[in-house]
Amino acid sequence: MIEIRTDLAIENREMYQEQNEGEVPGVEVEEERGEGYTVTRVKILDERGSTYLGKPKGVYITIDVPKLKNADQDLKDEISKLLAKEIKGIGITDEDTKTLIVGLGNWNVTPDALGPKVVDRVLVTRQFFIAYNKDRDETVANVAAISPGVMGLTGIETGEIVKGIVEKTNPDLVVAIDALASRRMERVSTTIQISDTGINPGSGIGNKRIGLNEEYLGVPVVAIGVPTVVDAATMVNDTMDLIIGSMKSVAKVGTEFYSTLEQVSSEEKYDLIKEVLEPFMPNVVVTPKEIDSIIDDLSIIIGNGLNIALHHGIDLQDVNRYIS
Amino acid sequence: MIEIRTDLAIENREMYQEQNEGEVPGVEVEEERGEGYTVTRVKILDERGSTYLGKPKGVYITIDVPKLKNADQDLKDEISKLLAKEIKGIGITDEDTKTLIVGLGNWNVTPDALGPKVVDRVLVTRQFFIAYNKDRDETVANVAAISPGVMGLTGIETGEIVKGIVEKTNPDLVVAIDALASRRMERVSTTIQISDTGINPGSGIGNKRIGLNEEYLGVPVVAIGVPTVVDAATMVNDTMDLIIGSMKSVAKVGTEFYSTLEQVSSEEKYDLIKEVLEPFMPNVVVTPKEIDSIIDDLSIIIGNGLNIALHHGIDLQDVNRYIS
Amino acid sequence: MIEIRTDLAIENREMYQEQNEGEVPGVEVEEERGEGYTVTRVKILDERGSTYLGKPKGVYITIDVPKLKNADQDLKDEISKLLAKEIKGIGITDEDTKTLIVGLGNWNVTPDALGPKVVDRVLVTRQFFIAYNKDRDETVANVAAISPGVMGLTGIETGEIVKGIVEKTNPDLVVAIDALASRRMERVSTTIQISDTGINPGSGIGNKRIGLNEEYLGVPVVAIGVPTVVDAATMVNDTMDLIIGSMKSVAKVGTEFYSTLEQVSSEEKYDLIKEVLEPFMPNVVVTPKEIDSIIDDLSIIIGNGLNIALHHGIDLQDVNRYIS
Amino acid sequence: MIEIRTDLAIENREMYQEQNEGEVPGVEVEEERGEGYTVTRVKILDERGSTYLGKPKGVYITIDVPKLKNADQDLKDEISKLLAKEIKGIGITDEDTKTLIVGLGNWNVTPDALGPKVVDRVLVTRQFFIAYNKDRDETVANVAAISPGVMGLTGIETGEIVKGIVEKTNPDLVVAIDALASRRMERVSTTIQISDTGINPGSGIGNKRIGLNEEYLGVPVVAIGVPTVVDAATMVNDTMDLIIGSMKSVAKVGTEFYSTLEQVSSEEKYDLIKEVLEPFMPNVVVTPKEIDSIIDDLSIIIGNGLNIALHHGIDLQDVNRYIS
């Protein structure tokens, strides 16, 4: 069987709708358009929605910015503010919220390094609250941050590291940043997904087996992710479907041709995918050539968004000018 | 029109043979098999060969090591020695050869950073020849090395930088290292191409307009390259051809179905490629997820090969133990 | 008051002996000389020794290799083996020991990056024990590793992070690697200190307030450190003492001159130190210009030593050839 | 003999004035104070001035910003603008000036990496002038940039590389950026020196033997440098002089004590310096612990200054917002 690989709720919904009419049962969607961007809020309300979309109940907000890649600074700033607004909108932060930011992913693998790079950009303040023995501050909130690495580097489940730290430092909120895989190239580096469900096993472009979610960590977890790759097997599969679909559209229903097209089996397709991608399968990704600089840009946009969302006395002008 | 993107002479030959019987006119090929590797020497003898393969006259040696990716140190060492032998076999180096090694590519773009990384690994000695006012040495040859960057970083054609340095330092030989694109995933990071024709416009995964060849630089140029990516448009195109071919193989010649398959036009395919790859087209690459560490490994193998080939008093044991 | 800054027990002992005759009470010392190195074992036996040397009871082994900086590979290998022998000699590891290696220090500050760089060099295996559900293996022991960062980067006490991970993963042993400060330039990058007392508050070139020791973590902690800097204030102070001492040696006891030299007060010296080092005081370090490459070399030597010490089926040839 | 190591004309002048009354013959100095900074222009007018200060005739502008290390963004911006003004003031740039920026120094040695890091920050445009076959542009000037490395990395004199490129690309102006050594800690990372004399042999913290100056390159060369280290031997020597001076100030002229202080010989001092700094002498530097982040900050300030100075249509707001 070929598995379409995506970490975006919005794409799971699209896949449902490719095969069915109407909205996904148990799911509510609202869309909001701005200049240069679209915000889509997919709410999975119950078990049915959860089963259809393969994701836990909760809110999945997608900010789509088709021109983010070549955005000027004004649009980037706009997106940082929008991200901050959506994070706040989830409703779990105020001035007294103690946050632990977790940058997931492997810093040695470029398209997986988004999380650690965002961590380098956030304003970490918890040490000052400790040093001055304070509970609150007029300008900044209590924020800690860590990049725990991946199991191949540490030998330890990422979830265990984070849980150990949560138990020692008792944050009110965990924000986890991760690089994602999308199904479509057009979403790579142009879409930000924010969710109140945390990171669940199998998500992200690495393989995590323990979830980073409220159930496991005992505190709410907001997940922020951006697709940085398309899985190559998914792209090859979609390409085959496209060409088959294109031929079907000109064939007459009922002809031998049409039924042959109908019958191209999953196994045949899988064999062809293997032929194209071996010997690297399943670890081949499709990614823009300039992914290194794209990740740098994204980490600034997201880092700024987090700084505005979490620190009540900090606005965009401050983050651009006073934090580096 | 869809252009199949490859920098490997061996793949240009394959493409000829997909459409024609027999060897390419004006081309001579010899193959040598060893344990774990195959060496193929494609000699383009005249204009006909040059036109068919789209490459200048000269020798293109390919070392194929299907298991290079997961090779143990013994196999890696074997390949370094083989590479050294083939470089020497081209017949332009002896103990008195003064060599300039040029690491092409952009160090900020992981799959394009092979050249600069190899330069970090070679034993540079020219400064000692100058400091001690020597012409020759018992152990090492006179070697200089530079990574000139790419035009997007410097504003200067790479060729001009190299030519300026060649004119100032008068080497007898230039060795240029570059990351390549191959048509097939199976060759990515498993194939080393060595050629006595230098780098010619349009080669490599960046875009160079001036060649780094004997004609331009005035000294012989050996080019060493390894494919690190497959161009995504090429992969999508090949995928479509595969599925069409697969359906043709079951269709009966003469049926409407067969002729529809025959008629899938270049434009239709191109439109589908664009649909899959926009908005990043034409800068999308397919690459193993662990390309960062693959490039590190390759740069050691090639750096060792160069150190053995160029420095007469140095063998493999030395490069593994005394050069870092 | 001027504080002489050193993390080496051997230098604390020297300071005692500058002012007193004989061995430090409550301290036992043995020395062993090899070709190119000296091993000194300082054992602090009781409270008296602990007070005089300002360090907890325990063993402090120093491997001094005056020529380590320019060592050839043979000497480096020798030191890795010696280090492995001393780690084993402390007597707390066997084939079943589960070890957590902790790379202390700030990866963004070159002379403080030794710990994280060693972590990049050790063979991490714990993930395979989990994946294959094994308790022991013929070749390798169960090893995990982490670089927790510093409080300025994470907002969290390093000790808390490590303790959280220890509680989740239950290792039998923690090995902590840290960059140290020595009093003398001649020990920078030529001395390795191994101790069974862990890291105690105030040690290392960063400032840690919670110790990484058995008392806090609940498991034995071996600390391995190499001095990478001399504190500039310490060097300036020692320089002043040297010149004063040099003048005293030519002055006659009892003369006005001699007594003036005797009377150069601590405050005067401190004022002069401030004059030389402001405005960076107290964060000025003296370090070899090539510290970046020295740290790279040291991390390989120590990483190899750890791989040999911890993994029973791995010897030096393996670490040089099969682990990268 | 102990050589006081400094690359700053302003410190050469101070050294003259420590021993002599009045202004250096053949030298003119003007000072301008602003809020938070002082600009000093040392003009060496003739051979006498050149001999006394050990530097070629020309203008040496020093911008001193004592609080640069902890500056907020407003002060940093101010300094970028000031730097731009002084570069323009030297009077050799207009909209049609083609500039080659050269980042000197070794990118692998933190305190020597300033030049290459500035090159990463400048807006390079020459490729667009070539692509669009233009001579001038409304917004930007024609700028190329290169980091040629150091002789230990390339085997080639930096000067030869730059000259080769100058001959191929014919710029009207070369701007060379280099890390410097100062005599005093208080100038480290707080002082920017701009000069119209280029880089002359022996300058900079590396060792260059060929000058990068108009005489050698055939085009005017502006040099921009910032001290990032104090040579440790210089600091130890100055410390000894300070303590001797301090004792002299309390001793009576004519006493045995006073004359002993007078007689501390150069050799004695040199022996003590060696005692303190061996075995690293002469390659020991004194540097702030946080030099890595200081270099990052400085490279932004200088890069911004260059972008404003060279590109007529770009002001500070643009460089902060649209160039990264």
Side-chain angles (χ1 to χ4, degrees):
Chain A
M1 235 313 271
I2 305 144
E3 193 202 353
I4 296 297
R5 177 83 198 291
T6 177
D7 298 313
L8 296 174
I10 203 176
E11 292 190 336
N12 292 117
R13 177 181 171 240
E14 274 174 18
M15 283 159 64
Y16 175 90
Q17 294 185 324
E18 281 167 20
Q19 319 235 340
N20 305 275
E21 303 273 313
E23 192 50 78
V24 188
V27 168
E28 213 175 85
V29 177
E30 59 181 57
E31 213 180 273
E32 189 185 315
R33 285 173 187 278
E35 199 160 331
Y37 65 86
T38 308
V39 178
T40 311
R41 292 186 193 81
V42 174
K43 293 182 195 170
I44 302 184
L45 304 168
D46 59 28
E47 273 313 308
R48 286 173 310 158
S50 183
T51 307
Y52 283 121
L53 297 195
K55 292 192 169 305
K57 275 192 289 181
V59 184
Y60 300 83
I61 301 162
T62 307
I63 305 177
D64 271 305
V65 196
K67 303 214 165 124
L68 190 55
K69 190 172 89 84
N70 299 309
D72 63 15
Q73 190 61 39
D74 289 326
L75 180 55
K76 289 178 186 172
D77 284 351
E78 186 72 16
I79 301 311
S80 291
K81 281 191 282 186
L82 200 56
L83 175 61
K85 199 184 110 197
E86 295 296 338
I87 293 169
K88 282 184 192 165
I90 289 178
I92 37 187
T93 63
D94 63 27
E95 298 182 13
D96 295 324
T97 307
K98 293 188 219 160
T99 305
L100 173 65
I101 297 175
V102 178
L104 299 169
N106 184 344
W107 44 78
N108 292 331
V109 172
T110 306
D112 199 24
L114 179 69
K117 291 222 168 191
V118 169
V119 160
D120 289 345
R121 295 287 177 172
V122 294
L123 180 62
V124 169
T125 56
R126 185 175 175 272
Q127 68 274 36
F128 305 119
F129 284 78
I130 293 174
Y132 302 111
N133 201 14
K134 274 180 148 191
D135 270 336
R136 49 158 48 208
D137 178 87
E138 281 171 38
T139 313
V140 295
N142 185 321
V143 173
I146 194 154
S147 296
V150 294
M151 202 175 182
L153 294 175
T154 62
I156 311 170
E157 283 268 6
T158 306
E160 286 184 306
I161 296 176
V162 176
K163 182 151 196 188
I165 294 168
V166 165
E167 287 176 1
K168 288 290 145 210
T169 63
N170 295 311
D172 304 312
L173 173 69
V174 167
V175 177
I177 323 293
D178 204 5
L180 307 177
S182 73
R183 181 185 185 180
R184 304 206 183 282
M185 207 62 215
E186 66 186 24
R187 287 213 179 77
V188 165
S189 78
T190 63
T191 291
I192 303 172
Q193 176 173 273
I194 306 138
S195 158
D196 63 359
T197 60
I199 305 279
N200 294 285
S203 309
I205 73 170
N207 296 315
K208 287 115 205 159
R209 298 175 309 167
I210 297 180
L212 281 187
N213 48 32
E214 184 161 5
E215 190 189 341
Y216 180 66
L217 295 181
V219 293
V221 182
V222 170
I224 300 176
V226 178
T228 59
V229 299
V230 172
D231 177 58
T234 296
M235 175 174 284
V236 170
N237 180 67
D238 278 359
T239 301
M240 291 189 294
D241 286 348
L242 266 179
I243 189 106
I244 293 169
S246 154
M247 288 187 288
K248 267 162 128 177
S249 72
V250 299
K252 289 191 204 97
V253 179
T255 59
E256 178 207 14
F257 177 28
Y258 193 89
S259 64
T260 305
L261 288 170
E262 286 273 277
Q263 286 154 23
V264 177
S265 71
S266 238
E267 289 96 271
E268 281 173 277
K269 287 202 288 178
Y270 188 75
D271 288 346
L272 288 173
I273 292 174
K274 275 182 53 176
E275 192 172 335
V276 175
L277 296 181
E278 289 291 31
F280 290 97
M281 184 100 162
N283 278 317
V284 198
V285 293
V286 190
T287 192
K289 209 172 121 186
E290 66 270 43
I291 186 67
D292 304 67
S293 63
I294 287 175
I295 297 274
D296 284 344
D297 272 7
L298 285 170
S299 63
I300 296 173
I301 293 171
I302 296 174
N304 285 354
L306 281 168
N307 287 329
I308 302 169
L310 300 177
H311 298 301
H312 42 282
I314 288 183
D315 68 16
L316 189 73
Q317 204 190 357
D318 302 316
V319 301
N320 271 345
R321 295 176 50 74
Y322 301 102
I323 300 165
S324 72
Chain B
M1 233 315 272
I2 304 143
E3 194 203 353
I4 296 298
R5 176 83 196 291
T6 177
D7 298 313
L8 296 175
I10 203 175
E11 293 190 336
N12 291 116
R13 179 183 170 235
E14 275 174 21
M15 284 160 64
Y16 175 91
Q17 294 184 327
E18 280 167 19
Q19 319 235 341
N20 305 275
E21 301 275 311
E23 192 48 80
V24 189
V27 168
E28 215 175 86
V29 176
E30 59 181 58
E31 215 179 273
E32 190 184 312
R33 284 172 186 280
E35 200 160 329
Y37 65 86
T38 308
V39 177
T40 311
R41 291 184 195 83
V42 174
K43 292 180 197 172
I44 302 185
L45 304 168
D46 58 30
E47 272 313 306
R48 287 172 311 160
S50 183
T51 307
Y52 283 121
L53 297 194
K55 288 193 172 304
K57 274 192 289 181
V59 185
Y60 300 83
I61 301 161
T62 308
I63 305 177
D64 270 306
V65 196
K67 303 211 165 130
L68 190 54
K69 190 172 89 86
N70 300 311
D72 62 14
Q73 190 61 38
D74 289 326
L75 180 55
K76 289 179 187 172
D77 285 352
E78 187 72 16
I79 301 311
S80 291
K81 280 191 284 186
L82 201 57
L83 175 61
K85 198 184 111 197
E86 295 296 337
I87 293 169
K88 282 185 191 164
I90 288 178
I92 36 185
T93 63
D94 64 27
E95 300 183 12
D96 296 324
T97 307
K98 292 187 219 161
T99 305
L100 173 65
I101 297 175
V102 178
L104 297 170
N106 185 342
W107 44 78
N108 292 332
V109 172
T110 307
D112 199 25
L114 180 69
K117 291 224 169 189
V118 170
V119 160
D120 288 346
R121 293 289 177 171
V122 294
L123 180 61
V124 169
T125 56
R126 183 174 175 274
Q127 68 273 35
F128 304 119
F129 284 79
I130 292 173
Y132 300 112
N133 200 14
K134 274 180 148 192
D135 269 336
R136 48 160 49 209
D137 179 88
E138 280 170 39
T139 313
V140 295
N142 184 321
V143 173
I146 194 155
S147 297
V150 295
M151 203 176 182
L153 293 175
T154 61
I156 312 171
E157 282 269 5
T158 306
E160 286 184 306
I161 296 176
V162 177
K163 181 149 195 188
I165 295 169
V166 165
E167 288 177 1
K168 288 290 145 212
T169 63
N170 295 310
D172 304 312
L173 173 69
V174 167
V175 177
I177 324 293
D178 205 4
L180 307 177
S182 74
R183 181 184 184 180
R184 304 204 184 285
M185 207 63 214
E186 68 187 24
R187 287 211 180 81
V188 165
S189 78
T190 62
T191 291
I192 304 172
Q193 175 173 273
I194 305 138
S195 158
D196 63 358
T197 60
I199 305 279
N200 293 285
S203 308
I205 74 169
N207 295 315
K208 287 116 204 158
R209 298 176 309 168
I210 297 180
L212 281 186
N213 49 33
E214 184 162 4
E215 190 190 340
Y216 180 66
L217 294 181
V219 294
V221 182
V222 170
I224 300 176
V226 177
T228 60
V229 299
V230 172
D231 177 59
T234 296
M235 175 175 283
V236 170
N237 181 68
D238 279 0
T239 301
M240 292 189 294
D241 286 346
L242 266 179
I243 189 102
I244 293 170
S246 154
M247 287 186 288
K248 266 162 130 179
S249 72
V250 299
K252 289 190 204 101
V253 179
T255 58
E256 179 207 14
F257 176 30
Y258 193 89
S259 64
T260 305
L261 288 170
E262 286 274 276
Q263 286 154 21
V264 175
S265 70
S266 235
E267 289 96 89
E268 279 174 278
K269 288 202 287 178
Y270 188 75
D271 287 347
L272 288 173
I273 293 175
K274 275 183 53 176
E275 191 172 336
V276 175
L277 297 181
E278 290 289 28
F280 289 97
M281 185 96 160
N283 280 317
V284 197
V285 293
V286 190
T287 193
K289 209 172 121 186
E290 67 271 43
I291 186 68
D292 304 67
S293 64
I294 287 175
I295 297 273
D296 284 343
D297 271 6
L298 285 170
S299 62
I300 296 173
I301 294 171
I302 296 174
N304 285 354
L306 281 168
N307 287 331
I308 302 169
L310 299 177
H311 298 301
H312 43 279
I314 288 182
D315 68 14
L316 189 73
Q317 204 189 358
D318 302 315
V319 301
N320 272 345
R321 295 176 50 74
Y322 299 103
I323 300 166
S324 73
Chain C
M1 232 319 268
I2 306 143
E3 194 202 351
I4 296 298
R5 177 82 197 290
T6 178
D7 298 313
L8 297 174
I10 202 176
E11 292 190 336
N12 291 117
R13 178 184 171 237
E14 274 174 19
M15 281 159 65
Y16 175 90
Q17 293 185 325
E18 281 167 19
Q19 318 234 341
N20 305 275
E21 304 274 313
E23 193 49 80
V24 189
V27 169
E28 215 175 85
V29 178
E30 59 183 56
E31 213 179 276
E32 191 185 314
R33 285 170 186 279
E35 200 160 329
Y37 64 86
T38 307
V39 179
T40 310
R41 293 184 193 83
V42 173
K43 293 180 196 169
I44 301 184
L45 304 169
D46 58 27
E47 274 312 308
R48 284 173 310 158
S50 184
T51 307
Y52 282 121
L53 298 195
K55 291 193 170 304
K57 275 192 289 179
V59 184
Y60 300 84
I61 301 162
T62 308
I63 305 177
D64 271 305
V65 197
K67 303 215 164 123
L68 190 54
K69 190 171 90 87
N70 300 310
D72 62 16
Q73 191 61 38
D74 289 326
L75 180 55
K76 289 179 187 173
D77 285 351
E78 186 72 14
I79 301 311
S80 291
K81 281 191 284 186
L82 199 57
L83 175 60
K85 200 184 109 198
E86 295 296 336
I87 294 169
K88 283 183 190 165
I90 287 177
I92 37 186
T93 65
D94 63 27
E95 298 182 13
D96 295 324
T97 307
K98 293 190 219 159
T99 305
L100 172 65
I101 298 176
V102 178
L104 298 170
N106 185 343
W107 45 77
N108 292 332
V109 172
T110 306
D112 199 26
L114 180 69
K117 291 224 166 188
V118 169
V119 160
D120 288 346
R121 295 286 176 172
V122 294
L123 181 61
V124 169
T125 56
R126 184 175 175 273
Q127 68 273 37
F128 304 119
F129 284 79
I130 293 174
Y132 301 111
N133 201 13
K134 272 182 150 189
D135 270 335
R136 49 158 51 209
D137 179 87
E138 281 170 39
T139 313
V140 296
N142 185 322
V143 173
I146 194 156
S147 296
V150 294
M151 204 175 182
L153 294 174
T154 61
I156 311 170
E157 282 268 5
T158 306
E160 286 183 307
I161 296 175
V162 177
K163 182 150 197 189
I165 295 169
V166 165
E167 286 176 2
K168 288 290 145 211
T169 64
N170 294 312
D172 304 311
L173 172 69
V174 167
V175 177
I177 324 292
D178 204 3
L180 306 178
S182 72
R183 180 186 185 178
R184 304 206 183 285
M185 208 62 216
E186 67 186 24
R187 287 212 179 78
V188 165
S189 80
T190 63
T191 291
I192 303 171
Q193 176 174 275
I194 306 139
S195 158
D196 63 359
T197 59
I199 305 278
N200 294 285
S203 308
I205 74 169
N207 295 315
K208 287 116 204 157
R209 297 175 310 167
I210 297 179
L212 281 186
N213 48 34
E214 183 160 7
E215 189 189 342
Y216 180 66
L217 295 180
V219 293
V221 182
V222 170
I224 301 177
V226 177
T228 59
V229 299
V230 173
D231 177 58
T234 296
M235 175 174 285
V236 170
N237 181 67
D238 278 0
T239 301
M240 291 190 294
D241 286 347
L242 266 178
I243 189 106
I244 293 169
S246 152
M247 288 187 288
K248 266 163 132 177
S249 71
V250 299
K252 288 188 205 102
V253 179
T255 59
E256 180 207 15
F257 177 29
Y258 193 89
S259 64
T260 304
L261 289 170
E262 286 273 277
Q263 286 153 23
V264 177
S265 71
S266 239
E267 290 96 272
E268 279 173 279
K269 287 202 287 178
Y270 188 74
D271 287 347
L272 289 173
I273 293 174
K274 275 181 54 175
E275 192 172 335
V276 174
L277 297 181
E278 290 291 28
F280 289 97
M281 185 96 163
N283 279 317
V284 197
V285 293
V286 189
T287 193
K289 209 172 121 185
E290 65 270 44
I291 186 68
D292 304 69
S293 65
I294 287 175
I295 296 274
D296 284 344
D297 272 6
L298 285 169
S299 64
I300 297 173
I301 293 171
I302 296 173
N304 285 354
L306 281 167
N307 287 330
I308 302 169
L310 300 176
H311 298 300
H312 43 279
I314 287 183
D315 67 15
L316 189 74
Q317 205 190 356
D318 302 314
V319 300
N320 272 345
R321 294 177 50 76
Y322 300 102
I323 301 166
S324 72
Chain D
M1 233 317 271
I2 305 142
E3 194 202 351
I4 296 299
R5 177 83 197 292
T6 178
D7 297 313
L8 296 174
I10 203 176
E11 292 189 336
N12 291 116
R13 179 183 170 236
E14 274 174 19
M15 283 159 64
Y16 175 90
Q17 293 184 326
E18 281 168 19
Q19 319 234 340
N20 305 275
E21 302 275 313
E23 193 48 79
V24 188
V27 169
E28 215 175 85
V29 177
E30 58 181 57
E31 215 179 273
E32 191 185 314
R33 282 170 189 280
E35 201 161 326
Y37 64 87
T38 308
V39 179
T40 310
R41 291 184 195 85
V42 173
K43 292 181 196 169
I44 301 185
L45 304 168
D46 58 29
E47 273 312 307
R48 285 173 311 158
S50 183
T51 306
Y52 282 121
L53 298 194
K55 287 189 173 307
K57 274 191 288 178
V59 183
Y60 299 83
I61 301 163
T62 308
I63 305 177
D64 271 304
V65 196
K67 304 213 165 125
L68 190 54
K69 191 171 90 84
N70 299 310
D72 62 15
Q73 191 61 38
D74 289 327
L75 180 55
K76 289 179 186 172
D77 285 352
E78 186 73 14
I79 301 310
S80 291
K81 281 191 284 187
L82 201 56
L83 175 60
K85 198 184 111 198
E86 295 296 336
I87 294 170
K88 282 185 191 164
I90 287 179
I92 36 187
T93 63
D94 63 29
E95 298 183 13
D96 295 325
T97 307
K98 294 187 218 159
T99 305
L100 173 65
I101 297 176
V102 177
L104 298 170
N106 185 342
W107 44 77
N108 292 332
V109 172
T110 307
D112 199 26
L114 178 69
K117 293 225 167 189
V118 169
V119 160
D120 288 346
R121 295 287 176 172
V122 293
L123 180 61
V124 169
T125 56
R126 185 174 173 274
Q127 68 274 35
F128 305 119
F129 284 79
I130 293 174
Y132 301 113
N133 200 16
K134 271 180 150 193
D135 269 337
R136 49 156 53 206
D137 179 87
E138 279 170 39
T139 313
V140 296
N142 185 321
V143 173
I146 194 155
S147 296
V150 294
M151 202 174 181
L153 293 174
T154 61
I156 311 171
E157 283 267 6
T158 306
E160 286 183 306
I161 296 176
V162 177
K163 182 151 195 186
I165 295 169
V166 166
E167 287 177 1
K168 288 292 147 213
T169 62
N170 294 312
D172 304 311
L173 173 68
V174 167
V175 177
I177 324 293
D178 204 4
L180 307 178
S182 73
R183 181 185 184 179
R184 303 203 185 286
M185 209 61 216
E186 67 185 22
R187 286 212 179 80
V188 166
S189 79
T190 62
T191 292
I192 304 173
Q193 176 173 275
I194 305 139
S195 158
D196 62 359
T197 61
I199 305 280
N200 293 285
S203 310
I205 75 168
N207 295 316
K208 287 115 202 159
R209 298 177 309 169
I210 296 180
L212 281 187
N213 49 34
E214 184 161 5
E215 190 190 340
Y216 180 66
L217 294 181
V219 293
V221 182
V222 170
I224 300 176
V226 177
T228 60
V229 300
V230 172
D231 177 58
T234 296
M235 175 175 282
V236 170
N237 180 68
D238 278 359
T239 301
M240 291 190 294
D241 286 346
L242 266 179
I243 188 105
I244 293 169
S246 153
M247 287 188 288
K248 266 163 132 179
S249 71
V250 299
K252 287 189 205 102
V253 180
T255 58
E256 181 207 12
F257 177 28
Y258 193 90
S259 63
T260 305
L261 289 170
E262 286 272 275
Q263 287 154 21
V264 176
S265 70
S266 238
E267 289 96 273
E268 279 173 276
K269 288 202 288 178
Y270 187 74
D271 288 347
L272 288 173
I273 292 174
K274 276 181 53 176
E275 192 171 336
V276 175
L277 298 180
E278 290 290 29
F280 289 97
M281 182 97 162
N283 280 317
V284 197
V285 292
V286 190
T287 194
K289 211 172 120 185
E290 66 270 45
I291 186 68
D292 304 68
S293 64
I294 287 174
I295 296 273
D296 284 345
D297 272 6
L298 285 170
S299 63
I300 297 173
I301 294 171
I302 296 175
N304 285 354
L306 281 168
N307 287 330
I308 302 169
L310 300 176
H311 297 302
H312 43 280
I314 288 182
D315 67 15
L316 188 74
Q317 205 190 355
D318 302 314
V319 300
N320 271 346
R321 294 175 52 76
Y322 300 101
I323 301 165
S324 73

